Amino acid sequence: MHYLSTRGQTQPHTFSEAVEAGLAPDGGLFLPESLPSIADKLPAWSKLSYPQLAAEFFTLFAPEISNAEWHQLTAEAYRRFDSPDVAPLKKITDKTYVLELFHGPTLAFKDFALQLLGLLYKRQVQHSGKRLSVLGATSGDTGSAAIHGCLGRDGITIFILYPNGRVAPLQERQMACTGADNVFAIPVPGTFDDAQRVVKDTFGDTAFASSVNLSAVNSINIARVLAQCVYYIWACLRLPEDVRATAEYVVPTGNFGNVLAGWLAQQMGMPAGSFRVATNQNDILHRFFSSGEYSQSEVHPSHAPSMDIQAASNFERFLYYILGQDSARVREVMSQIKSGAPFTIRLPHTSLRSTRMDDDTIVKVIAQMWKDWQYVLDPHTACAFTDMAQDRVSVVLATASPAKFPEVVRQATGSEPTHPTLEALKSKPLKTWPMAADVSAVKDFIRQQTSHGTKA
Ligand SMILES: *Cc1c(COP(=O)(O)O)cnc(C)c1O
């Protein structure tokens, strides 16, 4: 199995090479050269535990890692989840299920991919004997999930930049109260875009990047998308058999990574009816799916901050498929997007539709769901609860624990949700490494922190 770039100008990579590179050298995103069929495997897979299912799935995509090693990796990756099911599927009504993806160490769905990615990094260090420096920028969830994936792993040092004062206090604590000496939480002045620019420019110095063996943690790594396919298959296999083929999966969406994973699983033969892209008021994807026009506008901060995005980085993978796997067309469209010009395409028939939700409605939905079903939603998951399909089953993907967003939830329900992991953080010392939003300061710091010792 090889991995090709959506832009068609990169040599085929193995899984491990594609994971290590993150972004393809031609600026595109990696995808498997072909999608294996999983339909005939599902009856056997329905008897597996979550980690076992993940191991069997990944063996199809990365046979160069033995099936036995995959089983070790996935057992380790999902060991720290606080539910025996890892991703429990809860039945709320006859027509509505919630797939809870917030039982990992940072209480958001990004743990599914980043716990595994941390182990793949560790494996890479063991094989190459070279220390790895992981660098990323975050507006909250990705950074804390990445940190908890790399925490205490030998040979890995992780640096996460974030906009000072602009991430939720609990998210900052998840990054800055780990007590681990291989973790550096770095607040910088400005917005997320400023932090992101410093990270991009640091990678732009390729001599520096290779001298400290720098690796990017962001939302486009192919390992992340594949890790997310697994919980769709898991959920599908837990639904009553007669509703599987028509069920609608409803996915709170920002970068398009999560919903893409479900759609890919369907292309591989997982029974599913449709997918709904649920956005907040930053609705570029909703406008695209309802009109075919993709036009960027400003980001307006919302109650669902992890979806405050106007440039959905995984969208290029979907474009590649709907443009008939024509890399030249992908390059054309991506350069148009980069120039800021809107573009319109005639959307082929797909199994995707979309909705949007504004902040006022988010609060109302949380209140209503609490009143009707005594079920507490976080503000991201709340965006799913509109225009529910009437005639078939919906599976809502719950992407974060409500305890991560206590203020909005209190506003809606009158009481603050808590979680023991988050409570424990409140008494731990906060250790951050504030810095100017300046490339040379960041490079000096990384050099300094990685120069002593070559333990791998
Ligand atoms: C990242 C995130 C999302 C959006 O996921 P994408 O893969 O970027 O679409 C939704 N909800 C929460 C809680 C998140 O952390």
Side-chain angles (χ1 to χ4, degrees):
M1 169 72 78
H2 281 96
Y3 290 78
L4 308 176
S5 166
T6 48
R7 301 199 189 170
Q9 295 179 324
T10 291
Q11 293 301 314
H13 279 50
T14 65
F15 173 79
S16 305
E17 289 164 349
V19 169
E20 187 175 347
L23 194 67
D26 62 7
L29 306 185
F30 283 110
L31 280 168
E33 61 191 337
S34 62
L35 295 176
S37 168
I38 59 170
D40 59 344
K41 305 192 181 333
L42 295 177
W45 283 5
S46 68
K47 298 177 190 74
L48 303 180
S49 69
Y50 192 95
Q52 290 170 336
L53 173 65
E56 293 304 317
F57 182 79
F58 269 100
T59 303
L60 299 177
F61 287 91
E64 76 265 26
I65 299 179
S66 73
N67 181 257
E69 190 176 359
W70 272 120
H71 277 274
Q72 283 169 6
L73 286 166
T74 56
E76 175 67 19
Y78 299 113
R79 196 172 52 82
R80 295 175 60 209
F81 282 55
D82 71 5
S83 160
D85 271 0
V86 180
L89 182 69
K90 302 241 164 107
K91 186 171 178 177
I92 307 285
T93 71
D94 280 347
K95 287 262 173 311
T96 312
Y97 291 76
V98 174
L99 181 64
E100 293 185 347
L101 301 177
F102 51 75
H103 292 277
T106 71
L107 314 181
F109 86 93
K110 292 186 175 74
D111 288 326
F112 278 85
L114 288 167
Q115 285 292 312
L116 189 62
L117 193 61
L119 291 168
L120 292 171
Y121 285 148
K122 179 177 149 191
R123 184 178 182 276
Q124 184 187 320
V125 170
Q126 283 165 344
H127 282 241
S128 70
K130 276 193 294 185
R131 294 187 66 93
L132 194 68
S133 311
V134 176
L135 174 65
T138 188
S139 55
D141 280 342
T142 302
S144 48
I147 282 173
H148 285 260
C150 294
L151 197 71
R153 302 221 187 278
D154 279 349
I156 304 174
T157 316
I158 178 165
F159 303 87
I160 297 291
L161 273 64
Y162 59 94
N164 200 356
R166 290 186 191 230
V167 304
L170 281 173
Q171 286 178 329
E172 181 171 41
R173 292 204 148 262
Q174 286 184 315
M175 295 191 277
C177 298
T178 63
D181 59 9
N182 70 331
V183 171
F184 297 92
I186 306 176
V188 296
T191 64
F192 168 71
D193 293 331
D194 297 311
Q196 180 72 25
R197 181 181 43 76
V198 176
V199 166
K200 279 203 176 133
D201 291 349
T202 306
F203 278 98
D205 182 345
T206 50
F208 171 79
S210 73
S211 75
V212 297
N213 205 16
L214 203 61
S215 186
V217 60
N218 50 35
S219 66
I220 48 88
N221 201 296
I222 185 65
R224 292 185 65 178
V225 176
L226 294 175
Q228 291 168 184
C229 293
V230 177
Y231 50 68
Y232 285 91
I233 301 166
W234 171 261
C236 167
L237 294 174
R238 254 121 225 108
L239 288 174
E241 229 163 309
D242 60 327
V243 307
R244 288 181 190 167
T246 54
E248 176 163 89
Y249 292 82
V250 191
V251 192
T253 301
N255 270 313
F256 205 73
N258 197 356
V259 66
L260 175 82
W263 184 79
L264 284 174
Q266 186 191 33
Q267 308 311 302
M268 295 171 206
M270 177 190 87
S274 55
F275 297 85
R276 173 151 59 86
V277 174
T279 74
N280 62 18
Q281 63 196 14
N282 295 296
D283 59 354
I284 181 167
L285 290 169
H286 174 52
R287 284 181 280 122
F288 176 75
F289 282 103
S290 37
S291 72
E293 182 178 292
Y294 190 92
S295 68
Q296 276 162 301
S297 55
E298 264 171 55
V299 173
H300 298 288
S302 80
H303 284 334
S306 298
M307 290 154 54
D308 288 345
I309 281 160
Q310 281 293 340
S313 50
N314 270 292
F315 187 63
E316 180 169 345
R317 289 190 162 110
F318 181 66
L319 263 180
Y320 174 78
Y321 290 108
I322 62 174
L323 295 174
Q325 313 196 15
D326 177 348
S327 299
R329 275 286 282 146
V330 174
R331 291 199 297 275
E332 240 170 70
V333 171
M334 288 314 295
S335 76
Q336 204 173 338
I337 290 179
K338 198 170 172 204
S339 76
F343 77 91
T344 306
I345 59 175
R346 247 197 38 232
L347 264 173
H349 178 75
T350 67
S351 53
L352 286 127
R353 68 180 185 111
S354 67
T355 51
R356 93 189 277 276
M357 190 176 287
D358 61 30
D359 272 2
D360 287 347
T361 314
I362 287 176
V363 176
K364 283 186 194 137
V365 163
I366 297 172
Q368 195 67 43
M369 282 297 291
W370 170 239
K371 187 164 159 269
D372 291 350
W373 308 111
Q374 288 74 55
Y375 191 85
V376 185
L377 299 172
D378 96 284
H380 301 79
T381 309
C383 294
F385 285 83
T386 179
D387 196 18
M388 301 298 284
Q390 295 302 310
D391 51 345
R392 51 220 170 88
V393 157
S394 295
V395 178
V396 169
L397 276 65
T399 53
S401 161
K404 287 192 94 170
F405 304 92
E407 291 83 12
V408 181
V409 176
R410 174 165 33 75
Q411 204 181 321
T413 66
S415 66
E416 268 193 20
T418 58
H419 190 282
T421 323
L422 297 175
E423 290 309 303
L425 282 178
K426 289 179 182 165
S427 58
K428 288 191 183 155
L430 193 85
K431 178 82 185 129
T432 64
W433 306 79
M435 219 167 283
D438 172 73
V439 187
S440 54
V442 169
K443 286 197 290 196
D444 285 347
F445 185 74
I446 295 177
R447 213 177 273 121
Q448 192 190 327
Q449 294 302 334
T450 54
S451 60
H452 41 75
T454 46
K455 165 178 82 150

